[in-house]
Amino acid sequence: MDIDALKAKHPDHWRRATAIRALALDAVAQANSGHSGMPIGMADVATVLWSRHLKYDAAHPDWADRDRFILSAGHGSMLLYSLLYLAGDPEITLEEIRNFRQLGARTAGHPENFLARGIETTTGPLGQGLAMSVGFAIAEESLRARFSEKLVDHKTYVIAGDGCLMEGVSQEAIALAGRQKLSNLIVFWDNNNITIDGEVSIADATDQPTRFAASGWHVQEIDGHDPEAIDAAISAAKADDRPSMIACKTHIALGHAAQDTSKGHGALTDDDQNRTAKSGWGWEGAPFEIPEEIKSWWEEAGRRGAPDREAWEARAAKLSDAKRREFERTLSGEAPKKLSATIKALKKQLVESKPKVATRKSSEMVLEVVNPICPETLGGSADLTGSNNTKTSDLGVFDIENRAGRYVYYGIREHGMAAAMNGMALHGGIRPYGGTFFCFTDYARPAMRLAALQQIPTVFVMTHDSIGLGEDGPTHQPVEHLAICRATPNTLTFRPADTTEAAEAWELALTQTSRPSVMVLSRQGVPAVRHEMKAKNLVSQGAYVLAEAEGKRQAILLATGTEVSVALAAREALQAEGIGTRVVSMPSWELFAEQDEAYRKRVLPGGPVRVAVEAGVGLGWDRWLVGERGREKKAGFVGMSGFGASAPAEELYAHFGITAEAVAEKVKSLL
């Protein structure tokens, strides 16, 4: 690559792009940690995009109709931070750049969406940003159909690297985007042919442009250092009615001694080599020093979107008060005012009808009354619609010809579905939920973790929650998955015992603003366990006394989901023998842990023996059985210690000893 020729042909562009290169080199060197090569190599693409095409106002980085910029190759975070600082984002100052990767800085090692408004997504796990971008594009299409182009008309731009495209979730994402013809999605592939281990060819021979084209994308291949070629490619992508991939042939660590090598991927910290690289770029001055004329030019670029924002605000001001309030409510994540009353009315009906249904059906019954009053919900399933019960009669299907539809057929793409839902939640204006079998949280897990980390209210509907699914056998029977979900910080895991608890769980999930929810639902039918109408949402307490002991309280049974009815049957047997037994339903451990100590002590007082029953492994139950202070109590667990088997559900419960009789015997053995 002849840098002198690039400088001579496009001198102004070269200097402006090199400001990114210099900041990235300086910040990584000072931190002695990070990734220099990608920001250096993609600086030309980013400069053209941000100065000529991106609809962005640095003074208002989160205005509703901005274009979204997602750095899927999140290890190159200094590219994003440099852009935000240069463009004049008030939160990413030069001091933040100097403190790259240091404790308390907004400029974390990988972009974190909650640290600054100009950071759209948390990225770093490769492929996640690309997959989330599909959700951003779906959200844009859905909201445009609902509120019109006057309010919603923007694009989502993504920078993805070789690693992003090697991760399996990338295929799920590009196939879904191509099928849906998400024309406002434009992906730049940083085609530098280098990974940590060496050249891409040591591990991969994929023809990426052909792969994207085969999935229904518009594809272009360009020199990623030629500003005119970059500009023309973006213009062509914007004009096409398909999602676009622009393959940008670049040189990692351009102009550095580590150019085109695996060393160029990581931290370039050798002072002599860095000085030589800067000299070759024609860059002078002290570290972190940006010439005033270049910083001024970038700040003007950062103001380029202000007229678009002001025009949008003028259009929004002309809306009726009702429509503007609804638009603002939807974007804020505030639940409709009717939600609480709707849930209460349903609970009243349930107390009277006492349906005996699978909790996956309970969930559907709740969604049937909730979806009509929550126009922001957008459901879906990974090819299990009839099993997950996630599609209600009013939704319609989101598709190329019907962007107003509110149900997505994701196909057999659990990871891609979960990541796309995260993108919708991050975009704003959408309450995404989607379903698969609980066992397949294993496929969705990376995105579920990122939902928690990014503090977004995605709802993961996970049915067939235990050995109770029966004949499909242990491959489909989750045993460890509850423990994994409960171990994940900032996640609400709900395992409702009946339709009333399901209704209360959904009310809570739909009012969250900063954490995801996992709905853990059964295949097999269970009896109603709530027989009295309570206006209060009892699930909001996490655990509560469902049935009190008659006579002296000698035992407390703790249970969740389908095993609550098992605990109630065990209580009957124990009470018949004069053993006073309390049953505590625990639909959400996390919410119970958030209650004050006095309430937790009232629900789980000291003295009686404690037995938990749940058709999963016992990991985590010690907190509630032994006690939060670690004091020894007489306690036991009835559940799983290994994988399940293939047989009808009733036979499996008997075979593995998860029965009322077994629970009663466990209690008696402890007394």
Side-chain angles (χ1 to χ4, degrees):
M1 172 59 61
D2 189 343
I3 288 178
D4 290 336
L6 288 174
K7 289 191 292 185
K9 189 174 182 181
H10 305 286
D12 292 338
H13 164 85
W14 175 263
R15 291 273 291 163
R16 295 159 183 168
T18 298
I20 297 171
R21 296 183 172 102
L23 284 173
L25 200 62
D26 292 340
V28 171
Q30 177 153 304
N32 197 33
S33 172
H35 300 80
S36 312
M38 191 280 271
I40 292 172
M42 284 297 282
D44 297 301
V45 171
T47 299
V48 173
L49 174 63
W50 279 58
S51 65
R52 303 188 196 181
H53 294 274
L54 193 72
K55 187 167 66 172
Y56 168 77
D57 182 356
H60 301 271
D62 55 353
W63 71 285
D65 201 35
R66 68 193 180 279
D67 286 343
R68 271 63 170 180
F69 175 74
I70 297 173
L71 188 67
S72 187
H75 57 278
S77 56
M78 268 310 304
L79 176 69
L80 176 58
Y81 303 147
S82 297
L83 288 163
L84 292 172
Y85 163 66
L86 290 168
D89 186 295
E91 293 180 311
I92 305 299
T93 63
L94 187 59
E95 187 65 18
E96 293 286 356
I97 298 291
R98 289 179 179 274
N99 286 326
F100 176 58
R101 286 185 163 229
Q102 304 309 300
L103 184 64
R106 297 182 191 273
T107 49
H110 292 82
E112 303 287 3
N113 67 297
F114 49 84
L115 293 180
R117 291 175 298 157
I119 302 172
E120 300 284 1
T121 59
T122 289
T123 54
L126 294 177
Q128 287 289 316
L130 174 59
M132 285 189 283
S133 75
V134 177
F136 274 80
I138 289 174
E140 191 268 346
E141 293 277 10
S142 178
L143 289 169
R144 180 147 37 92
R146 182 178 170 199
F147 290 106
S148 86
E149 284 188 18
K150 293 180 179 179
L151 285 181
V152 185
D153 185 18
H154 53 264
K155 302 189 182 301
T156 298
Y157 295 96
V158 183
I159 287 180
D162 293 302
C164 292
L165 301 193
M166 278 193 245
E167 289 287 357
V169 71
S170 70
Q171 182 57 37
E172 297 183 23
I174 69 172
L176 179 60
R179 165 61 184 81
Q180 288 288 352
K181 293 191 73 171
L182 300 175
S183 59
N184 279 343
L185 176 60
I186 299 173
V187 174
F188 301 94
W189 169 35
D190 178 19
N191 179 18
N192 61 40
N193 196 41
I194 294 294
T195 65
I196 292 174
D197 280 353
E199 292 187 0
V200 169
S201 59
I202 67 173
D204 192 28
T206 303
D207 183 336
Q208 298 290 1
T210 299
R211 174 188 174 212
F212 275 79
S215 297
W217 287 57
H218 172 234
V219 176
Q220 303 172 79
E221 298 183 61
I222 64 169
D223 178 349
H225 299 297
D226 181 343
E228 298 310 317
I230 297 165
D231 182 47
I234 298 172
S235 295
K238 289 160 69 174
D240 202 275
D241 67 354
R242 296 166 289 177
S244 285
M245 189 273 265
I246 304 173
C248 306
K249 185 58 186 171
T250 60
H251 293 267
I252 199 167
L254 177 69
H256 193 278
Q259 176 180 318
D260 298 331
T261 70
S262 58
K263 180 174 171 49
H265 172 87
L268 304 178
T269 58
D270 182 279
D271 289 339
D272 290 338
Q273 289 183 351
N274 289 355
R275 278 193 295 270
T276 300
K278 284 185 176 182
S279 177
W281 295 338
W283 192 262
E284 300 174 355
F288 301 102
E289 185 177 286
I290 305 297
E292 183 178 347
E293 72 275 11
I294 293 178
K295 185 65 166 74
S296 296
W297 180 88
W298 268 108
E299 289 179 354
E300 181 60 32
R303 291 189 291 268
R304 195 177 57 83
D308 288 320
R309 176 184 55 80
E310 291 165 357
W312 179 87
E313 290 174 345
R315 293 194 299 274
K318 294 179 181 178
L319 295 172
S320 67
D321 288 345
K323 189 166 186 178
R324 184 169 61 253
R325 282 197 302 269
E326 177 64 5
F327 184 68
E328 291 171 351
R329 179 196 71 78
T330 300
L331 287 182
S332 73
E334 178 187 348
K337 292 181 180 179
K338 292 181 180 179
L339 180 61
S340 178
T342 299
I343 294 296
K344 286 176 183 174
L346 176 61
K347 285 163 60 177
K348 186 176 181 181
Q349 294 174 16
L350 295 171
V351 166
E352 296 169 357
S353 61
K354 299 180 178 59
K356 180 179 180 179
V357 295
T359 54
R360 59 172 175 157
K361 179 63 177 177
S362 299
S363 174
E364 180 185 38
M365 293 164 66
V366 179
L367 290 171
E368 284 284 4
V369 299
V370 164
N371 278 334
I373 66 160
C374 293
E376 62 268 36
T377 56
L378 198 153
S381 170
D383 198 52
L384 290 168
T385 295
S387 295
N388 299 146
N389 294 52
T390 40
K391 186 176 186 294
T392 57
S393 55
D394 64 307
L395 289 182
V397 176
F398 176 89
D399 208 344
I400 299 164
E401 304 302 326
N402 182 27
R403 297 308 198 191
R406 292 164 52 205
Y407 192 82
V408 179
Y409 289 119
Y410 287 102
I412 308 164
R413 303 183 181 109
E414 295 88 355
H415 194 176
M417 174 184 72
M421 290 195 298
N422 286 348
M424 295 176 208
L426 286 162
H427 179 282
I430 300 290
R431 280 272 180 184
Y433 70 87
T436 186
F437 288 174
F438 191 36
C439 200
F440 300 148
T441 55
D442 291 338
Y443 287 150
R445 171 69 186 156
M448 295 174 73
R449 181 176 186 271
L450 273 189
L453 178 58
Q454 293 181 104
Q455 303 172 18
I456 51 177
T458 313
V459 182
F460 303 99
V461 180
M462 299 299 180
T463 70
H464 297 58
D465 68 351
S466 69
I467 60 170
L469 73 85
E471 293 86 345
D472 274 345
T475 59
H476 285 51
Q477 292 168 2
V479 291
E480 74 274 33
H481 300 72
L482 271 167
I484 293 170
C485 290
R486 289 167 176 161
T488 305
N490 197 43
T491 298
L492 289 180
T493 303
F494 294 103
R495 191 166 185 246
D498 67 0
T499 309
T500 299
E501 282 197 356
E504 292 179 344
W506 268 109
E507 180 181 16
L508 294 166
L510 293 172
T511 52
Q512 297 303 308
T513 58
S514 60
R515 55 183 170 180
S517 298
V518 184
M519 294 289 181
V520 183
L521 308 168
S522 74
R523 176 180 184 259
Q524 75 274 30
V526 289
V529 300
R530 290 270 289 276
H531 299 150
E532 295 181 21
M533 173 58 190
K534 300 284 186 182
K536 183 174 183 177
N537 187 318
L538 299 185
V539 172
S540 69
Q541 299 171 122
Y544 61 94
V545 178
L546 178 62
E548 187 52 282
E550 298 173 10
K552 181 184 178 182
R553 186 191 307 125
Q554 300 181 63
I556 300 176
L557 303 181
L558 300 78
T560 73
T562 48
E563 287 71 67
V564 171
S565 59
V566 175
L568 289 170
R571 174 186 175 275
E572 285 189 22
L574 290 165
Q575 287 288 169
E577 296 185 40
I579 302 172
T581 303
R582 168 185 283 188
V583 173
V584 172
S585 179
M586 299 190 72
S588 174
W589 287 13
E590 298 84 12
L591 291 177
F592 186 54
E594 291 174 8
Q595 306 307 303
D596 60 47
E597 186 178 11
Y599 176 76
R600 296 198 304 272
K601 282 185 175 180
R602 287 200 302 273
V603 174
L604 298 177
V609 301
R610 298 180 187 178
V611 172
V613 53
E614 186 173 69
V617 298
L619 186 66
W621 272 106
D622 280 356
R623 177 176 184 182
W624 313 118
L625 293 175
V626 175
E628 295 182 71
R629 297 183 181 180
R631 294 175 181 170
E632 289 298 323
K633 295 181 182 295
K634 288 186 175 182
F637 175 73
V638 175
M640 299 294 292
S641 58
F643 293 112
S646 178
E650 290 184 3
E651 293 181 24
L652 290 172
Y653 271 79
H655 175 74
F656 289 105
I658 307 174
T659 63
E661 294 78 12
V663 174
E665 286 302 317
K666 177 68 74 172
V667 168
K668 288 187 284 186
S669 73
L670 294 169
L671 287 172

